[in-house]
Amino acid sequence: MAGSKGRVLVVDDEVNLRKVLTAILEQDGHIVEQAGNGIEALKLLDAFKPEVVITDLKMPKLSGMDLLRELKKRSPGTQVFLITAYGTKDTAVAALKAGAMDYITKPFEQDEILELVAKALRRKRLGDSNDSDASLGERLGMLGRTPAMLEIFELINRVADTDSTVLITGESGTGKDLVARALHDNSSRKGGPFVHINCAAIPKELVESELFGYERGAFTGAVMSKPGRFEIADKGTLFLDEIAEIPVSIQVKLLKVLQQSEFERVGGTKSLKTDVRVLAATNRDLEKEIASGAFREDLYYRLAVVPIQLPPLRERRDDIPLMVRYMAEKFAKKHARQVPAVDDEFVELVKSYNWPGNVRELENVLEKMILEHSPARLTVGLLPPEFTGIINRDLKPDQHAGTGTLKDVVRAETRKIEMDLITRTLSETGGNVTRAAKLLGLSRKGLQLKMKDLGISRDNKT
Ligand SMILES: Nc1ncnc2c1ncn2[C@@H]1O[C@H](COP(=O)(O)OP(=O)(O)OP(=O)(O)O)[C@@H](O)[C@H]1O
Ligand SMILES: [Mg+2]
């Protein structure tokens, strides 16, 4: 294919390896230069302008890592990948984080090298035509501008089109599914299946047959054989969600597939091959699970080749204003409502909230507000009762509804919140007590009693 051949610089202190690599690459039509160490490589940079640099990790004078850092500074678009000896996974991950495109472990296959170089060239040329970090998140379908998120976007971008296993961690609602999807969609497997399996949703005794399939007669009820998710995901991506829920007994089998890409169906004897890229996610602390014996350490290391840890929303509050504006518009359009203006005070309050449910909670709050009020402006008054707590906490003591003992004050405050919530719900249901009770999680009778106690009548509107 025209244009698929490029300028490649091979850096290795071992003459023989350098020669072999050069021969392989030249045979494939690339223009190759060689350097015996990092210093030499940097000297060649201006004259040769390599598109791809393949460098050994361990070299005298300037190590592969130092060369990588220097290259990223002087010529950020150049694609670098490292050759490492088997068992130096930590360094390899550090290399990915420092901007390496990929790494390859010795001994490697000729095809492996050629494929990587082809991929690097595609990426280099793509990068040259639309290089803008600001749009990276957009391209991945994720919002965020805080340094922590930008770093994550870059990492996703770099590891998406590799077969490295990625372990995505973070609290519920921080975007783990979104990351898994972005990794698949930005890989050359994107034409293949994306198979999502939620390990927490499957009864423990069925996990094995779900993952690996079963043969007819493997257990009572297995009247036909059935392929498992590993087979279904062939040539695509398998996303093992809530990985901490996999029983220890199955973890061994999982580890084996990851190491050998081979497995047997339950009740089967034939060894099946599969070509899947595995992603895993959890909101649990796997290191704790390992300590308690609920998760195998060897499996953990095999899964966490590239760890991506999503910070909770409260640790990236500066992303909130952007998210509020973007999501308000998205939900308004989705429900054919006017796009609301956003009060500064609203943004400030929303920013100061703790968001235990993270981005999902933010989405829910905004969607509900837009759906129920079709507001022209997003104002503090539209926020649900959990936010009232923040408002009340900011009040000065003499502004409290009641005075006297702590108990009196609490009772008065509670009444105020109840009153506010009930009248608001009633106005939403158009005065329908049965529906309002349902929304509030009360019985109809219970709500009527509360209303009487608070002095609210049925047609009371806020
Ligand atoms: N950075 C982001 N930009 C835009 N939307 C986001 C972002 N992060 C999360 N979301 C949205 O928030 C919601 C929750 O995200 P997601 O389902 O990926 O979370 P999760 O970490 O998988 O949660 P859980 O642990 O409960 O499975 C989704 O609707 C997702 O689209
Ligand atoms: Mg999820």
Side-chain angles (χ1 to χ4, degrees):
M1 196 174 72
S4 65
K5 304 306 168 201
R7 288 188 310 279
V8 186
L9 175 61
V10 175
V11 193
D12 201 317
D13 55 327
E14 257 179 74
V15 187
N16 283 334
L17 202 76
R18 225 159 62 208
K19 278 191 182 153
V20 170
L21 270 174
T22 305
I24 294 174
L25 291 164
E26 282 181 342
Q27 208 169 33
D28 203 37
H30 299 291
I31 305 163
V32 187
E33 282 281 352
Q34 305 178 32
N37 58 52
I39 310 273
E40 249 177 62
L42 290 174
K43 273 189 202 145
L44 273 167
L45 208 57
D46 284 337
F48 183 52
K49 294 199 171 44
E51 292 167 281
V52 180
V53 175
I54 306 175
T55 176
D56 191 20
L57 190 62
K58 275 216 186 87
M59 291 182 299
K61 291 189 188 158
L62 198 65
S63 76
M65 269 306 270
D66 294 332
L67 174 61
L68 168 66
R69 290 203 188 92
E70 202 50 41
L71 277 169
K72 283 286 139 184
K73 249 188 260 161
R74 295 198 199 176
S75 160
T78 304
Q79 302 292 313
V80 184
F81 62 88
L82 289 119
I83 302 177
T84 66
Y86 178 76
T88 47
K89 202 202 76 209
D90 286 348
T91 336
V93 171
L96 286 179
K97 287 200 170 151
M101 186 194 112
D102 208 336
Y103 59 89
I104 194 164
T105 33
K106 282 190 259 193
F108 46 80
E109 302 279 330
Q110 184 164 333
D111 286 351
E112 226 179 324
I113 285 279
L114 291 178
E115 222 168 88
L116 267 182
V117 169
K119 200 192 285 177
L121 284 168
R122 274 201 304 277
R123 172 128 16 139
K124 165 83 171 75
R125 285 159 193 178
L126 203 77
D128 286 350
S129 59
N130 66 346
D131 209 6
S132 152
D133 269 356
S135 68
L136 188 53
E138 234 166 86
R139 195 147 52 78
L140 298 173
M142 298 183 74
L143 298 169
R145 279 185 203 153
T146 44
M149 288 312 284
L150 292 182
E151 220 173 273
I152 287 175
F153 296 159
E154 272 168 31
L155 186 57
I156 293 173
N157 194 42
R158 272 201 309 279
V159 300
D161 202 10
T162 69
D163 278 344
S164 296
T165 314
V166 180
L167 178 66
I168 312 159
T169 54
E171 290 178 11
S172 184
T174 46
K176 297 187 291 298
D177 279 45
L178 215 53
V179 170
R181 211 47 242 206
L183 286 167
H184 175 75
D185 290 345
N186 288 281
S187 76
S188 32
R189 293 177 177 271
K190 66 167 177 278
F194 177 79
V195 178
H196 182 172
I197 175 167
N198 184 344
C199 304
I202 304 168
K204 292 223 184 310
E205 62 280 10
L206 295 183
V207 171
E208 185 178 11
S209 56
E210 269 300 318
L211 285 175
F212 306 107
Y214 54 83
E215 292 296 349
R216 189 177 150 188
F219 45 84
T220 335
V223 287
M224 280 194 303
S225 62
K226 195 181 157 219
R229 307 291 178 111
F230 267 97
E231 274 172 81
I232 297 169
D234 192 38
K235 305 268 177 323
T237 304
L238 178 61
F239 176 32
L240 303 170
D241 206 353
E242 314 262 17
I243 187 82
E245 308 308 318
I246 291 196
V248 180
S249 56
I250 316 296
Q251 291 175 16
V252 190
K253 190 162 174 180
L254 186 57
L255 180 65
K256 206 183 119 203
V257 198
L258 292 174
Q259 283 166 339
Q260 304 168 0
S261 308
E262 259 183 30
F263 64 97
E264 292 102 43
R265 286 183 177 171
V266 177
T269 48
K270 205 171 69 187
S271 183
L272 301 170
K273 276 239 164 250
T274 182
D275 169 21
V276 295
R277 197 268 182 93
V278 172
L279 307 174
T282 180
N283 51 28
R284 300 253 206 118
D285 182 347
L286 280 186
E287 282 170 10
K288 260 197 209 140
E289 304 287 316
I290 291 169
S292 76
F295 205 82
R296 290 182 62 106
E297 192 171 19
D298 47 9
L299 178 58
Y300 171 76
Y301 283 113
R302 192 59 194 71
L303 290 171
V305 174
V306 178
I308 295 185
Q309 184 164 18
L310 289 163
L313 190 55
R314 63 183 169 280
E315 283 171 21
R316 42 173 156 132
R317 291 181 198 271
D318 286 343
D319 282 337
I320 292 177
L322 166 85
M323 287 183 167
V324 166
R325 292 200 167 82
Y326 182 92
M327 289 168 180
E329 184 173 339
K330 181 178 88 177
F331 292 128
K333 287 188 174 149
K334 175 177 165 198
H335 299 294
R337 307 292 161 93
Q338 59 183 329
V339 177
V342 185
D343 273 11
D344 290 344
E345 199 193 354
F346 178 89
V347 173
E348 280 316 305
L349 184 59
V350 163
K351 246 180 104 170
S352 65
Y353 178 63
N354 227 32
W355 297 109
N358 296 296
V359 187
R360 179 180 298 115
E361 187 182 4
L362 177 61
E363 278 188 336
N364 290 344
V365 166
L366 290 169
E367 185 166 22
K368 195 152 180 273
M369 276 174 48
I370 287 170
L371 208 52
E372 291 175 358
H373 304 281
S374 311
R377 307 189 67 79
L378 296 184
T379 56
V380 172
L382 295 171
L383 284 163
E386 334 40 308
F387 292 85
T388 324
I390 307 182
I391 301 171
N392 284 346
R393 235 189 290 131
D394 292 343
L395 288 178
K396 293 190 187 74
D398 61 354
Q399 285 176 292
H400 277 288
T403 48
T405 64
L406 177 69
K407 220 165 147 189
D408 291 339
V409 176
V410 170
R411 192 178 301 136
E413 288 290 317
T414 311
R415 275 178 77 89
K416 236 177 59 182
I417 294 169
E418 284 177 342
M419 178 98 129
D420 179 57
L421 191 57
I422 292 171
T423 48
R424 222 191 302 158
T425 311
L426 279 169
S427 92
E428 276 162 25
T429 64
N432 184 323
V433 178
T434 313
R435 271 183 52 217
K438 211 170 195 169
L439 285 172
L440 291 163
L442 294 170
S443 68
R444 188 186 145 83
K445 188 93 198 125
L447 177 57
Q448 279 171 330
L449 281 174
K450 268 245 167 296
M451 284 166 64
K452 195 162 165 234
D453 175 43
L454 293 165
I456 304 171
S457 68
R458 212 167 154 40
D459 48 14
N460 202 335
K461 296 267 159 82
T462 37

